[in-house]
Amino acid sequence: DTGGANAIRQVLFILFWTGSVVMYWRKGDATAVFRHPALWVVLLYATASVGWSVVPSIALRRVFLLWVTTTTLFMLTDLAGERIITWLARTHVLLLMVSLMAIPILKGARHTYVEDGDPMLVGNWKGIFQHKNAAGPAQLMSILLFIYAYIRSKSPLWWLAVAGSLLFMGFTRSKTTLLLLMPSLVAGSLFYLSSASRLRRLMLGLSLTGLILGLVGTQSLWIPKLLNILEDPEAFTGRAMIWLTMVPALPHYWLLGMGYGSVWQVGDQNILSEFAPVYADWVVLNNQGHHGYLDLVLSLGVSGLGLFLFLVLAQSIIGFFLRGRPRHSFHFLFYSALI
């Protein structure tokens, strides 16, 4: 399984990109391209990785799609500013409403039979999404977008949307999503509330530094316990099995990675199946590692991860602590989504 190439979808992507280019040519600011060098460095690095990809033809196709989607988002964001996030929040309201209405009407809006050998899926809500593992994270992102929209507009109607997403998320029984909900909200709230004052930003920075140093200093206490948990293939709702397959491959591809888009859904050329601890048919069919940083390291290596952390995350975080913007709603969305 290589993910399949949908000609209609590809044509729609290209048409949407072409329309964005035409709009940006007429109304955009071409100099904005030079204000975001980090974005282009990461894209160029991903493109260069096709040269050492284990499946260059697949990697090239996926890098092309990466350029199309990223440049489209760049142009639309530059044209519309933060309004595009509000539009996205409204789109998520529509998806939520349709999904909730589908539950009592459509049989396919719930998992009705055992899939992937997991009887616990039966009865879980998925709405109009393909799987509850897609519906759960979508609702988490919806909640963050709805709170962002409330901060901007102060309309209490957004809290109704939050309640709807919480209801939907609860019935998806997506454990990982439910586990991440509170840390995401806490992180976003801390950065949002701290942005109003230089003193608060300083206190938050010192607290985060102390937390990191504390984790490093006590690693001998918690790392063995974490490794013991990860050795159980069923831990983290089965994701530990995926991670136990990915980690042994890291020493072989640690510097440059396997190439962008070359880890999952690459058919019979899937290298990860060689590292699976048990029978590995699922590796060929799996489409992600359920761990963004592990996926990134395996795709682009430590060098790619370093570029991402330094050029994208580090600059944003350093900029926040040095400059800040008084209780800006984007602080909540950005830092809660990072979790």
Side-chain angles (χ1 to χ4, degrees):
D1 182 9
T2 60
N6 187 310
I8 296 176
R9 184 172 57 197
Q10 291 173 353
V11 169
L12 289 175
F13 271 126
I14 294 173
L15 287 175
F16 195 72
W17 178 82
T18 304
S20 301
V21 170
V22 172
M23 283 196 302
Y24 197 73
W25 182 265
R26 293 178 177 177
K27 299 183 178 181
D29 177 11
T31 61
V33 172
F34 303 103
R35 293 200 294 268
H36 304 279
L39 173 65
W40 309 116
V41 170
V42 172
L43 282 175
L44 288 171
Y45 181 83
T47 304
S49 74
V50 175
W52 60 79
S53 169
V54 292
V55 280
S57 60
I58 295 174
L60 183 62
R61 186 182 79 198
R62 292 173 178 173
V63 162
F64 175 73
L65 179 60
L66 177 68
W67 275 93
V68 169
T69 53
T70 305
T71 52
T72 300
L73 286 171
F74 171 81
M75 290 184 286
L76 293 179
T77 302
D78 193 52
L79 286 171
E82 290 193 45
R83 286 177 296 168
I84 197 169
I85 305 178
T86 303
W87 298 340
L88 184 60
R90 290 170 179 165
T91 302
H92 275 247
V93 170
L94 179 61
L95 293 174
L96 172 64
M97 292 174 62
V98 174
S99 290
L100 289 175
M101 288 188 292
I103 297 298
I105 299 173
L106 301 177
K107 185 178 180 181
R110 305 173 186 229
H111 288 279
T112 55
Y113 59 90
V114 176
E115 300 176 40
D116 302 320
D118 185 3
M120 298 298 291
L121 280 177
V122 178
N124 293 351
W125 290 11
K126 59 178 181 175
I128 61 173
F129 297 88
Q130 185 176 10
H131 197 280
K132 66 106 174 179
N133 285 341
Q139 294 318 301
L140 175 56
M141 195 65 221
S142 294
I143 290 170
L144 302 182
L145 285 168
F146 298 159
I147 295 176
Y148 163 88
Y150 169 76
I151 294 172
R152 283 182 62 86
S153 68
K154 304 302 180 185
S155 171
L157 292 176
W158 287 109
W159 288 112
L160 289 177
V162 170
S165 283
L166 283 172
L167 174 69
F168 189 17
M169 182 191 296
F171 280 99
T172 65
R173 297 188 179 91
S174 180
K175 299 181 184 68
T176 305
T177 305
L178 290 167
L179 183 67
L180 288 175
L181 174 61
M182 191 53 65
S184 297
L185 294 177
V186 169
S189 300
L190 283 174
F191 276 88
Y192 169 67
L193 295 173
S194 300
S195 64
S197 160
R198 180 174 297 179
L199 178 60
R200 290 180 183 177
R201 293 198 302 272
L202 176 61
M203 292 174 62
L204 177 61
L206 291 174
S207 299
L208 291 175
T209 303
L211 176 62
I212 293 170
L213 291 176
L215 289 173
V216 172
T218 59
Q219 58 181 304
S220 59
L221 299 177
W222 59 269
I223 286 185
K225 294 180 181 179
L226 178 61
L227 292 176
N228 287 335
I229 295 173
L230 292 177
E231 286 175 359
D232 177 7
E234 298 302 317
F236 295 100
T237 60
R239 286 168 174 78
M241 173 63 74
I242 302 174
W243 302 337
L244 287 171
T245 300
M246 299 171 72
V247 170
L250 291 176
H252 301 269
Y253 299 96
W254 68 273
L255 181 59
L256 298 176
M258 297 181 184
Y260 179 81
S262 304
V263 180
W264 301 108
Q265 289 193 314
V266 293
D268 295 334
Q269 301 176 78
N270 191 303
I271 293 177
L272 280 185
S273 58
E274 301 173 9
F275 300 94
V278 295
Y279 185 64
D281 253 11
W282 64 268
V283 179
V284 178
L285 300 174
N286 200 43
N287 61 8
Q288 60 166 309
H290 293 280
H291 193 303
Y293 292 108
L294 267 180
D295 275 334
L296 184 56
V297 173
L298 271 180
S299 297
L300 300 177
V302 172
S303 51
L305 176 65
L307 273 176
F308 174 75
L309 291 177
F310 176 73
L311 295 177
V312 180
L313 293 187
Q315 288 197 46
S316 300
I317 293 173
I318 292 171
F320 169 84
F321 284 110
L322 292 182
R323 296 185 296 273
R325 293 169 68 183
R327 295 199 174 185
H328 198 274
S329 50
F330 188 72
H331 287 148
F332 171 81
L333 183 62
F334 181 77
Y335 292 101
S336 58
L338 277 182
I339 302 298

